[in-house]
Amino acid sequence: MKNKIQAFLVIGALSVLNITAQETEEIVVTASFVSSETNGALHVVDGDDIDTAANLSLGEAIDDLLGVSSADYGSAIGQPIIRGMSGTRVKVLDNGLVNRDVSALGPDHPNDTDLNNIQQIEVIKGPASLLYANGGIGGVINIVDNTISKVDFDKPSFKLGLESQSVNDGESQNFSFTDNIGGLNIVFSHKNAEFGNFDIPSDAIMHEEEEHHDEEEEHHDEEEEHHDDAGFLANSDYELESTSIGISKTGDWGYFGISAKSLENMYGIPFHGDGHGHDEHGDEHGEEEEHGEEEEHEGERIFATTDSDKLDLRGSLNIDGSIFSSVDYFIRDTDYELVEQHAEEEEHHDEDEEHDEHGHEEGPTTFTNEATEFGYTFNLADTSLFSQKLSFNFAEEESSVIGSESFMDPATSEETTVGYYISGDYGLFKLDAGFRIDNVDRKGSITTHEEHHDEEEHHDEEEEHHDEEEEHHDEEETEHVHYNRDFDNRSFAISLSRDLNESLSLEIGTSVVERAPSVTELFMNGPHLATQRFEVGNTNLDVETARNVEFTLRYANEGVYASFTAFQNDIDDYIYLQDESEEEHADHDEEHEEGHDDHEGLTLANFLQESAEFRGYELEIGRVYDLGSGLLDIRYARDELTASFDDGHDVPRITPARNLYSLSYSKGSMLFKLLLKDVDKQDEIGEGETSTDGYQMLNARLTKTFDLGNSNLSVSIFGNNLLDEVARNHSSYVKSEVPLPGKNYGVKFNLNF
């Protein structure tokens, strides 16, 4: 390992020694396998658009794109969904490299991303995602910035940003600086943000516990009156601090740079399962439990802190040889930590004997992920037929979950990749194709418990619960069963495009992509409160194989534009989490008729495999009118998806169909945008799911840029959910407890000089 890292450092040093300063063209990552042209699989969100919008998460920033949505868990969590798939099936990249965080370990974990000082967000769907990461069956989200600049800055630039929001009394400040000093490109950026609990519509208040605790009806009536007055979602606060710095050198020889990024945040978790959680209005059920009085206090809540450090070294060396024209190289080291804990943990530690009412140990849970990744991409000399790339990547990753919610033993992964990609323009059609081989090695263990106590005697002495718990643990033996799963994945993709005439073009793509099971799917074995389940992994899982085909028609002529994409993704051995049935639950209760529950009061869920079919379409129609005084753009779009298993049952938590109505008007330095998102009711649900009502979300934004001579000031006034709609995200595990925010007004200032 050390020798490989040293080799990268040697190449970097050789690059720096070639000091001839010369500007080069910036290479922008696109959906095309090799060429610099974009195709229909790519959506780009411009950095200026992000700067003027009110987005707290990556999912929020791209939720309005066709085929893309967000799985929320409160304001800070917005894991992206592409065509019904999320988690490890959607790769989130930072400048082309996979983010190595712990978002795949739980829906209440954020992606390790920061939307400050970025150039653009690229969303890549379908076959084109093969280029960037293994196992991206759903697609790829690539966040692009200039922390390591590939071009020389011609003048210093300073940017200051301020933001204020009404829905959460939130505010943020950010600034960035770029300049070329002594031939070195310097980039520095910093951001602070603090957002309180967000308001929710009064109709969003739910009291599910009333159905189960009739004897507390009077108590709930009082709580309802109190929370109607409050009107906010408890534990939905969010704080963030991020810093990044980069230094690079460019020349006709290529470029070389190094960057460091640090991201820290703290966010409340609005709901965290039975016994730990808090519904959207606090702890309404607390008095019904043994420790209820403690849970009613606002000071006791579940929150999480994250601490991420990334160190990047990357560059490109121009060779201009007969075989290779250039070689790109990189190395990245990531150290990520997330800690979940009780705010009043220390105060109540002694009273609770380190156990809550369901037997969970009180105390923090620490999720860590340490990763090192490096690779080369050789750009082969162009031929008369096509351009070529040959890439080699290696990644090593160590994950652990330590603490009260230790649902997975420490696990390691090693990934080795060889990829070959070609692109050519043959007049009649354009070709993009790629092939990659991924070797994935997962190592982990499953902890088993053997109990040696008398169940009947244990429950007869219920009044001495804590003493018996202590005795129980003394008499419990644990055994770690170790596993080593090795997967050899082979994937390929091909895309053909053709201009049928001056206005109409056609693209056809197909791919076969294999995805190895994640460490979570293999080795999970314990209480996962974010999903309200006791999750059990499956060490016998096979590789997922996704066979995707899609075609796109695009039309553009005299201000009219339209596109239509249809796709089908057949996935063999699709991995999913299946809750136990009512019959299985009843059988389980009979086995523990004395009251002992080794699943700790949570729903038992197992990782299973069954072939599934995803199919859908994305439609867009628009017209641009030149009004003389400005341009008016009116657009309608719709995306719709169905997903079902071979046995006919629906895949759970699938995004419902949506209609998007948008209007934008631009005149000089002024831009006005209006968007109505009409989300259908979702009643095509998986086993154990409930249907979700549709909603309409109306957002508006007005941006004006003022010329101040050597500087300019951009002012953006926005309003989100102007109809104050009760909106619940069907893809969320906590849709009932955690609605989307209510009406929100705000303003953003960006000063550039």
Side-chain angles (χ1 to χ4, degrees), residues 15 36 125 154 195 204 232 329 363 387 474 489 524 542 557 569 628 635-636 666 668 671 733:
S15 300
S36 59
K125 301 176 290 186
D154 55 2
F195 300 89
F232 63 88
Y329 55 92
S387 301
D474 289 340
N489 301 337
M524 179 82 79
D542 293 325
N557 186 33
N569 205 351
R635 168 180 172 265
Y636 166 77
S666 61
L671 175 64
Y733 277 93

Side-chain angles (χ1 to χ4, degrees), residues 472-641:
H472 166 71
H473 288 290
D474 289 340
E475 297 177 358
E476 186 178 67
E477 294 183 1
T478 61
E479 181 182 0
H480 300 279
V481 183
H482 295 273
Y483 298 89
N484 187 355
R485 295 295 311 277
D486 189 78
F487 305 93
D488 289 312
N489 301 337
R490 290 170 173 80
S491 305
F492 77 89
I494 184 170
S495 177
L496 300 173
S497 62
R498 172 179 169 84
D499 293 332
L500 302 179
N501 54 47
E502 294 183 354
S503 305
L504 188 65
S505 64
L506 170 67
E507 295 178 5
I508 300 175
T510 185
S511 64
V512 177
V513 180
E514 295 184 337
R515 183 185 76 90
S518 68
V519 293
T520 305
E521 295 162 336
L522 290 169
F523 309 126
M524 179 82 79
N525 187 41
H528 194 180
L529 303 182
T531 64
Q532 308 168 58
R533 288 161 174 82
F534 190 103
E535 299 181 7
V536 180
N538 187 345
T539 57
N540 296 316
L541 292 174
D542 293 325
V543 169
E544 284 183 349
T545 302
R547 294 175 173 85
N548 180 77
V549 60
E550 66 176 66
F551 78 90
T552 300
L553 279 170
R554 292 195 305 275
Y555 175 85
N557 186 33
E558 295 183 352
V560 178
Y561 59 92
S563 68
F564 177 79
T565 298
F567 62 89
Q568 179 168 320
N569 205 351
D570 295 323
I571 306 177
D572 295 338
D573 296 319
Y574 180 85
I575 302 172
Y576 66 103
L577 193 62
Q578 178 62 59
D579 295 347
E580 65 177 350
S581 65
E582 293 183 1
E583 293 79 9
E584 292 170 332
H585 184 72
D587 294 340
H588 175 77
D589 285 345
E590 290 180 3
E591 296 175 3
H592 301 276
E593 58 184 6
E594 297 296 331
H596 180 72
D597 189 353
D598 60 356
H599 300 145
E600 306 183 4
L602 302 174
T603 300
L604 177 65
N606 295 280
F607 282 98
L608 305 176
Q609 286 189 296
E610 183 178 352
S611 296
E613 179 183 272
F614 291 69
R615 59 172 60 185
Y617 67 87
E618 298 157 7
L619 171 67
E620 179 183 42
I621 303 173
R623 174 72 185 269
V624 179
Y625 297 90
D626 189 348
L627 304 180
S629 59
L631 296 178
L632 177 66
D633 188 348
I634 300 176
R635 168 180 172 265
Y636 166 77
R638 178 176 175 84
D639 52 19
E640 186 170 352
L641 170 72

